[in-house]
Amino acid sequence: MPELKWRMASSFPKSLDTIYGAGEDFAKRVAGLTDNKFQIRVFAAGEIVPGLQVVDAVQNETVECGHTASYYYVGKDPTFAFDTAVPFGLNTRQHNSWVYNGGGLELMREFYKDYNMTSFLMSHTGGQMGGWWRKEIKTPDDMKGVKMRIGGFAGQVLQKLGVVPQQLAGGDIYPALEKGTIDAAEWVGPYDDQKLGFNKVAQYYYYPGWWEAAPRCRSMSD
Ligand code: CA
């Protein structure tokens, strides 16, 4: 067996032990199965490329593989959303069924060919929360003009209610929320959100995150 050394660009900061850690677990498993011949080194967001440029880095072969959430790239093509989550979309079990038994994996891989890559399922957050807000929301009108970090296609939905959506990588959310560059942010759920410190700078936490009933992360490789 030849020796292989690959670099994996992650979209996530090291502080997120479960999400970033999924990439490291994957690398350990691959090494274990190959007598350490196939080594994958994981790099946090920003170490090789910014967190939201992982697909680009895999596509242009800056790295051999990446760990990201496909819906970060809906600006390139809305199809990317289906592989992570779409608003009011499938829950965890339904999404698993679609991917493994409903032809989802094949459909997405066909789509990814245009980007010079293929995909493997990596990690899964389950249903998410609706995010942290610095002011109380009592009516839909209260959302007008609120600058919110939100992932994927959901931003375009909230835009209809006057929200100004912004896409930021996980590690960039806290400073933006703290400085007031954004007024609200959704990330994942209590465990990961607390690791990123949102509870220190925003007082209101709403649920459910109807835009992410079963978001998944993907390992992309070229
Ligand atoms: Ca989210």
Side-chain angles (χ1 to χ4, degrees):
M1 187 180 283
E3 289 203 357
L4 286 174
K5 284 191 176 20
W6 278 21
R7 300 194 302 172
M8 173 186 276
S10 174
S11 284
F12 310 108
K14 282 185 184 160
S15 56
L16 297 175
D17 57 343
T18 56
I19 301 180
Y20 174 83
E24 292 195 316
D25 286 348
F26 176 76
K28 268 189 213 142
R29 181 88 174 134
V30 170
L33 289 168
T34 59
D35 292 331
N36 285 322
K37 294 271 202 273
F38 191 169
Q39 290 181 23
I40 299 172
R41 189 168 162 207
V42 186
F43 293 85
E47 287 188 330
I48 300 176
V49 289
L52 301 182
Q53 288 175 27
V54 169
V55 156
D56 307 78
V58 174
Q59 184 182 9
N60 63 30
E61 298 180 21
T62 304
V63 291
E64 291 80 14
C65 61
H67 182 208
T68 191
S70 65
Y71 72 175
Y72 291 152
Y73 310 92
V74 290
K76 297 179 190 295
D77 189 316
T79 310
F80 276 102
F82 287 104
D83 215 16
T84 305
V86 291
F88 301 108
L90 306 177
N91 67 22
T92 307
R93 286 187 210 169
Q94 290 166 337
H95 201 261
N96 276 342
S97 301
W98 177 68
V99 169
Y100 289 120
N101 303 305
L105 189 64
E106 291 76 18
L107 279 172
M108 290 311 302
R109 284 182 172 174
E110 191 62 35
F111 168 70
Y112 290 139
K113 275 187 196 166
D114 292 345
Y115 293 85
N116 191 28
M117 62 190 184
T118 193
S119 69
F120 300 86
L121 306 189
M122 288 279 281
S123 48
H124 202 303
T125 70
Q128 293 197 3
M129 293 288 280
W132 299 85
W133 300 63
R134 295 172 72 123
K135 69 166 191 178
E136 194 172 4
I137 302 296
K138 289 183 174 160
T139 72
D141 277 350
D142 295 335
M143 298 169 82
K144 287 204 171 87
V146 170
K147 285 178 283 195
M148 180 182 191
R149 183 277 170 192
I150 182 162
F153 186 54
Q156 292 175 45
V157 178
L158 284 177
Q159 216 166 10
K160 302 260 180 193
L161 290 167
V163 169
V164 184
Q166 324 231 341
Q167 188 147 256
L168 297 172
D172 299 330
I173 302 172
Y174 178 87
L177 197 57
E178 195 208 6
K179 279 188 211 133
T181 316
I182 54 172
D183 314 302
E186 69 81 38
W187 174 243
V188 175
Y191 181 84
D192 298 298
D193 292 3
Q194 193 174 15
K195 292 237 174 223
L196 295 181
F198 304 151
N199 53 307
K200 292 183 211 146
V201 287
Q203 207 177 342
Y204 300 97
Y205 198 23
Y206 292 110
Y207 73 94
W210 43 264
W211 48 90
E212 298 187 71
R216 289 185 163 282
C217 297
R218 285 289 181 285
S219 160
M220 307 290 196
S221 57
D222 61 19

